[in-house]
């Protein structure tokens, strides 16, 4: 119970099984044990966004970025919040920042493109993430931010099957 790593892992399990309130509580516990927990703030932000509190999500992502300013997962998550709060220009700025990274964080770029409604571009970035063997692809089937894109990709494949 006093391990931030264990609490972070449990927060992940709860988040990806869509128990967002409980996930947020686990990540807050990890933060209370280790206030420099980038993963704790990042996870808490993900949960808060899914719980419908984009301002709190932004605050958590900003805390995570203060500890790791170039983490593409956090940049993508913050851009995702910006899109959903109507701050498209700020989201595009973060998207440009991620696109300038090497290697490009393809999965997180896809998250932002999907939020922007650019489904074709998002699907193309998912293909790049697969080719790069991006570890985030392991969670593509579970990531709630990608629900719409997965649905559209599945429908497209089904409609175009020979």
């Amino acid at each position: 119970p006093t391990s931030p790593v264990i609490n972070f892992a449990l927060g992940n399990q709860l988040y990806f099984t869509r128990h967002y309130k409980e996930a947020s509580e686990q990540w807050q516990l990890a933060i209370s044990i280790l206030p420099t927990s980038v993963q704790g703030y990042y996870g808490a932000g993900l949960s808060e966004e899914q719980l419908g509190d984009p301002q709190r999500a932004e605050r958590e992502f900003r805390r995570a970025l203060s500890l790791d300013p170039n983490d593409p997962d956090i940049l993508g998550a913050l851009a995702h919040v910006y899109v959903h709060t109507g701050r498209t220009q700020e989201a595009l700025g973060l998207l440009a920042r991620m696109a300038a990274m090497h290697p490009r964080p393809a999965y997180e770029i896809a998250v932002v493109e999907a939020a922007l409604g650019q489904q074709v571009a998002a699907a193309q970035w998912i293909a790049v993430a697969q080719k790069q063997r991006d570890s985030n692809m392991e969670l593509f089937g579970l990531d709630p931010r990608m629900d719409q894109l997965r649905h559209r990709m599945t429908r497209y494949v089904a409609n175009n099957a020979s």
Side-chain angles (χ1 to χ4, degrees):
T2 60
S3 167
V5 173
I6 297 297
N7 283 294
F8 175 70
L10 182 53
N12 269 346
Q13 292 296 317
L14 290 164
Y15 176 77
F16 288 114
T17 57
R18 309 209 180 211
H19 295 94
Y20 304 122
K21 185 175 188 299
E22 294 85 352
S24 180
E25 291 167 359
Q26 281 305 131
W27 280 319
Q28 290 300 331
L29 182 56
I31 293 167
S32 72
I33 296 166
L34 182 64
T36 58
S37 171
V38 173
Q39 297 90 352
Y41 292 115
Y42 171 68
L46 290 173
S47 288
E48 294 304 329
E49 182 180 18
Q50 294 304 316
L51 287 168
D53 193 341
Q55 289 78 24
R56 192 165 178 186
E58 179 182 350
R59 188 171 54 245
E60 299 294 356
F61 293 140
R62 288 193 172 282
R63 286 179 181 153
L65 278 176
S66 73
L67 297 167
D68 191 352
N70 295 309
D71 185 307
D73 293 338
I74 302 166
L75 292 169
L78 183 57
H80 191 266
V81 168
Y82 285 164
V83 170
H84 290 291
T85 57
R87 295 159 65 187
T88 305
Q89 290 306 311
E90 290 172 83
L92 291 172
L94 291 177
L95 186 60
R97 186 171 161 191
M98 289 186 298
M101 293 177 165
H102 296 284
R104 289 189 179 108
Y107 184 85
E108 289 304 324
I109 291 173
V111 166
V112 179
E113 292 286 11
L116 289 166
Q118 302 299 318
Q119 303 303 323
V120 172
Q124 290 169 337
W125 280 108
I126 287 297
V128 172
Q130 285 178 313
K131 186 176 180 183
Q132 290 176 338
R133 300 179 194 269
D134 186 323
S135 62
N136 286 322
M137 284 303 298
E138 295 173 12
L139 302 171
F140 177 63
L142 302 172
D143 190 340
R145 300 172 301 168
M146 300 301 261
D147 285 350
Q148 257 190 337
L149 179 63
R150 272 193 319 275
H151 176 73
R152 287 188 174 162
M153 289 172 74
T154 302
R155 195 173 64 215
Y156 176 82
V157 169
N159 290 341
N160 293 293
S162 298

